[in-house]
Amino acid sequence: MPITPATATQSTSKGTTDAILLELVDEKGVTIGTAEKLAAHQPPGQLHRAFSVFLFDEQGRLLLQRRALGKYHSPGVWSNTCCGHPYPGEAPFAAAARRTFEELGVSPSLLGEAGTVRYNHPDPASGLVEQEFNHLFVGLVQAPLAPDPEEVGETAFVTATELTERHARDTFSSWFMTVLDAARPAIRELTGPSAGW
């Protein structure tokens, strides 16, 4: 497997861990600087670039993941297939493909841009704030999953009806419905009208 910044050892010569930097943006998505990841999520939050991926199987079912319990932000909640932050200077598309492989052990067989959405979602459990300019991607997954247990606690493929039932019953990430609703036009184009998205 190629070594990327996320899979490489992130330590300095003094044995300390390098900070993970996010790309800060203005309201139009133009880069204006960087900030350390945790600092960017402290209230009131700093607007930064992010991405969200929605992958579907050949039956038009959405792949959900339940975030691992060890994650510092929104642990143990259900969310879209994959989400995260590009490294400063990394294209959102490349970051989305990279993190999908790192988290789920699979590369999308198709991945396309689905627009952007800007939101501000406080996480009631952690007190952290998602102040994000989010790039959306939709695509297909056709290979077996191999999730990283440090990232992903569980996965499930769901129909639109099953998602409605699960969303009413289970806890989802604070941003899930915002990014799903923003991606729906591209999702409908990908899955067709019969899938019900």
Side-chain angles (χ1 to χ4, degrees):
M1 180 174 86
I3 294 178
T4 69
T7 56
T9 303
Q10 301 235 342
S11 60
T12 65
S13 59
K14 296 180 182 177
T16 58
T17 302
D18 288 340
I20 296 174
L21 296 178
L22 305 186
E23 201 169 78
L24 299 181
V25 299
D26 65 14
E27 294 292 337
K28 295 180 179 179
V30 177
T31 303
I32 57 172
T34 60
E36 190 277 325
K37 184 177 180 179
L38 189 56
H41 289 87
Q42 297 294 329
Q46 298 177 25
L47 184 59
H48 57 274
R49 196 177 308 284
F51 64 83
S52 291
V53 177
F54 296 86
L55 295 183
F56 294 81
D57 66 9
E58 292 170 329
Q59 289 77 51
R61 298 180 303 166
L62 171 61
L63 173 58
L64 298 176
Q65 70 154 279
R66 187 171 60 80
R67 294 164 63 86
L69 292 173
K71 293 182 80 72
Y72 79 95
H73 190 344
S74 303
V77 302
W78 287 93
S79 199
N80 47 294
T81 307
C82 179
C83 53
H85 310 93
Y87 293 115
E90 182 182 27
F93 182 92
R98 171 179 58 78
R99 283 303 291 163
T100 299
F101 183 79
E102 289 170 355
E103 291 189 11
L104 294 159
V106 66
S107 294
S109 55
L110 174 73
L111 190 65
E113 295 182 7
T116 60
V117 62
R118 189 259 195 259
Y119 54 79
N120 178 359
H121 285 300
D123 176 39
S126 68
L128 300 174
V129 178
E130 288 290 3
Q131 187 90 249
E132 295 188 331
F133 188 94
N134 197 300
H135 297 256
L136 307 170
F137 299 93
V138 300
L140 295 174
V141 60
Q142 296 173 302
L145 304 177
D148 178 350
E150 292 187 11
E151 298 286 347
V152 180
E154 190 177 348
T155 60
F157 282 96
V158 296
T159 65
T161 300
E162 290 167 344
L163 175 61
T164 300
E165 295 167 356
R166 187 181 287 260
H167 193 264
R169 180 185 71 230
D170 297 335
T171 304
F172 276 71
S173 64
S174 60
W175 62 86
F176 176 75
M177 286 308 298
T178 299
V179 293
L180 175 63
D181 287 343
R184 279 187 197 275
I187 291 170
R188 291 183 185 121
E189 188 176 334
L190 175 73
T191 61
S194 62
W197 293 103

